[in-house]
Amino acid sequence: MGGTLLARRYAKALADVVTKEGNFDEVSQDLKGFSSVLESNVGLQSVLYNPSIHLSHKKGLLEEVVRMSKPLSITSRFLTLLLEKGRLRNLSIIALAFEEISHQILNRVRVTATTAWQLSSEERENLIRRLQEITGGKEILLTLQVDPTLIGGIVIQIGNTIYDGSIQRQLENLKEELTRR
């Protein structure tokens, strides 16, 4: 089974359980935090991912790490399940899939907006209102970036869709049109 499909299945199952309690943000933060700890600690990986080390030893180590990081009980049970199923190495993509699924359930959308200069508070609020209209009233999780090479205008990314209204893009389009004539 492909890693992404597997990740979505585990993430969906977790989301189904979390839906009852409604603490998606906390669980998502727990998963990302533990994933970060795992990715940065080769020694921890060498024990938890090693099939020749007995499961009881791995569980003891996982329980110790979980005790120190103090995640929600649902997160710690999920991490134990992943360990038992030999899927802990897939945690980073499971965490991303869980975040994506939770955003869908909570009617949220992640948007990146790139402008040539820093937006004022009023411009930011107007942009969020407009994006909410475009996305059918979804809550906007906005990330703002500044790229002076855009010259002016804005580039919006919603999911995999990019809307490029930058002056730089308009000039490039004009150049292409003029060179075709």
Side-chain angles (χ1 to χ4, degrees):
M1 181 184 311
T4 304
L5 179 60
L6 174 111
R8 288 201 60 77
R9 285 186 182 176
Y10 275 94
K12 176 73 172 102
L14 179 60
D16 289 345
V17 174
V18 172
T19 298
K20 295 174 183 120
E21 297 178 28
N23 48 2
F24 287 96
D25 293 333
E26 294 90 342
V27 171
S28 185
Q29 285 302 107
D30 286 348
L31 292 176
K32 287 190 281 188
F34 196 82
S35 175
S36 176
V37 167
L38 262 179
E39 288 174 10
S40 65
N41 192 324
V42 178
L44 195 57
Q45 290 176 26
S46 67
V47 174
L48 294 177
Y49 298 169
N50 189 335
S52 65
I53 295 177
H54 197 270
L55 182 60
S56 63
H57 181 66
K58 292 179 191 180
K59 277 187 176 180
L61 179 59
L62 180 65
E63 287 172 8
E64 184 65 27
V65 174
V66 164
R67 188 178 56 75
M68 289 187 302
S69 60
K70 299 178 182 154
L72 295 173
S73 64
I74 191 166
T75 308
S76 61
R77 290 192 312 268
F78 183 70
L79 292 171
T80 302
L81 173 74
L82 292 179
L83 177 68
E84 290 170 350
K85 299 294 183 184
R87 303 296 187 194
L88 200 55
R89 72 176 58 246
N90 301 104
L91 181 59
S92 62
I93 56 175
I94 292 170
L96 290 173
F98 178 79
E99 184 177 51
E100 180 182 313
I101 290 168
S102 67
H103 286 332
Q104 291 170 354
I105 291 169
L106 297 171
N107 201 30
R108 295 176 176 167
V109 63
R110 189 168 299 285
V111 177
T112 302
T114 307
T115 59
W117 56 84
Q118 192 72 34
L119 295 180
S120 69
S121 297
E122 183 180 333
E123 290 169 326
R124 184 180 188 281
E125 293 306 315
N126 288 337
L127 177 61
I128 289 172
R129 269 193 297 282
R130 184 68 183 118
L131 289 168
Q132 286 174 328
E133 291 171 12
I134 292 169
T135 60
K138 291 186 178 187
E139 179 184 346
I140 304 299
L141 304 174
L142 183 63
T143 302
L144 290 171
Q145 299 175 344
V146 175
D147 180 1
T149 64
L150 294 180
I151 305 169
I154 190 167
V155 177
I156 302 286
Q157 181 174 354
I158 303 174
N160 293 329
T161 305
I162 296 176
Y163 302 94
D164 192 341
S166 67
I167 292 177
Q168 177 189 25
R169 171 62 58 203
Q170 292 171 20
L171 290 172
E172 288 171 3
N173 290 345
L174 182 60
K175 179 181 174 185
E176 286 177 22
E177 189 177 317
L178 291 173
T179 56
R180 276 188 255 144
R181 291 184 182 187

